[in-house]
Amino acid sequence: MSSSSCFSSIYQKKKKKKETPKKEMARSISYINGSQLLSLKRRPNIAIVDVRDDERTYDAHIAGSLHYPSSTFSNKISDLAQNVKGKDTLVFHCALSQVRGPSCARRFADYLSEMKEAVDIKNVLILERGFNGWEASGRPVCRCTENPCKNEIP
């Protein structure tokens, strides 16, 4: 292979790399435990998103949480984005945070990555052990029927 064809081959490879558009990195999702949530909840820029379905109507919930049932989550995702404007941290949970909570958190993180406008949300988190773990640990719950819940964690 001549030096000119070698140079030409390297140039084409570099050129191809430059032409490939950069893909935006997806937001990472982390887990948070109940104690960490209690300390974070005192900040005004956090929102808790309960994605349980019917359980919320007969179980209690974490005070101050928003309710976006997993069964209709995809249809309401833009509403959630509007309702959490000004927040920088969202904490998702379901009963155990094994399926519905994590999958809704991922869908929301993907939705944020696809949005054209700037968003304030920097952290998408999942509550370890979900609502059942929260309540079983003796942490405060609310039994109101409002959505969003207007009560606060003491």
Side-chain angles (χ1 to χ4, degrees):
M1 181 183 277
S2 71
S3 63
S4 64
S5 64
C6 181
F7 175 78
S8 174
S9 173
I10 292 170
Y11 176 74
Q12 287 174 349
K13 286 180 184 176
K14 285 185 179 182
K15 188 175 178 184
K16 284 182 184 177
K17 284 183 182 177
K18 285 184 179 179
E19 291 175 341
T20 306
K22 284 188 176 180
K23 187 177 180 183
E24 190 173 317
M25 209 164 117
R27 281 183 180 14
S28 64
I29 298 174
S30 302
Y31 281 82
I32 183 173
N33 65 39
S35 297
Q36 292 167 319
L37 179 55
L38 274 175
S39 64
L40 277 180
K41 185 58 184 131
R42 291 177 178 88
R43 294 181 13 214
N45 54 348
I46 185 172
I48 300 171
V49 184
D50 184 342
V51 298
R52 293 176 297 157
D53 296 308
D54 295 335
E55 308 98 301
R56 184 176 165 112
T57 58
Y58 54 82
D59 278 349
H61 55 272
I62 298 173
S65 62
L66 303 169
H67 185 220
Y68 284 85
S70 64
S71 60
T72 59
F73 187 80
S74 293
N75 298 334
K76 306 273 186 187
I77 203 163
S78 61
D79 294 343
L80 174 58
Q82 288 297 316
N83 287 333
V84 297
K85 282 199 178 207
K87 306 290 184 187
D88 70 5
T89 301
L90 262 63
V91 179
F92 286 81
H93 77 83
C94 57
L96 301 171
S97 290
Q98 293 179 350
V99 178
R100 295 175 295 176
S103 68
C104 290
R106 170 51 51 208
R107 274 188 255 157
F108 191 74
D110 291 345
Y111 175 83
L112 292 178
S113 295
E114 294 169 6
M115 287 182 65
K116 303 285 187 240
E117 61 190 66
V119 291
D120 298 327
I121 299 166
K122 311 259 184 294
N123 305 301
V124 177
L125 306 171
I126 301 165
L127 177 62
E128 287 178 356
R129 299 179 58 222
F131 177 77
N132 293 359
W134 174 271
E135 186 176 38
S137 297
R139 294 196 169 87
V141 298
C142 180
R143 298 195 185 282
C144 78
T145 56
E146 294 179 49
N147 184 35
C149 173
K150 306 251 187 297
N151 296 313
E152 291 297 322
I153 294 175

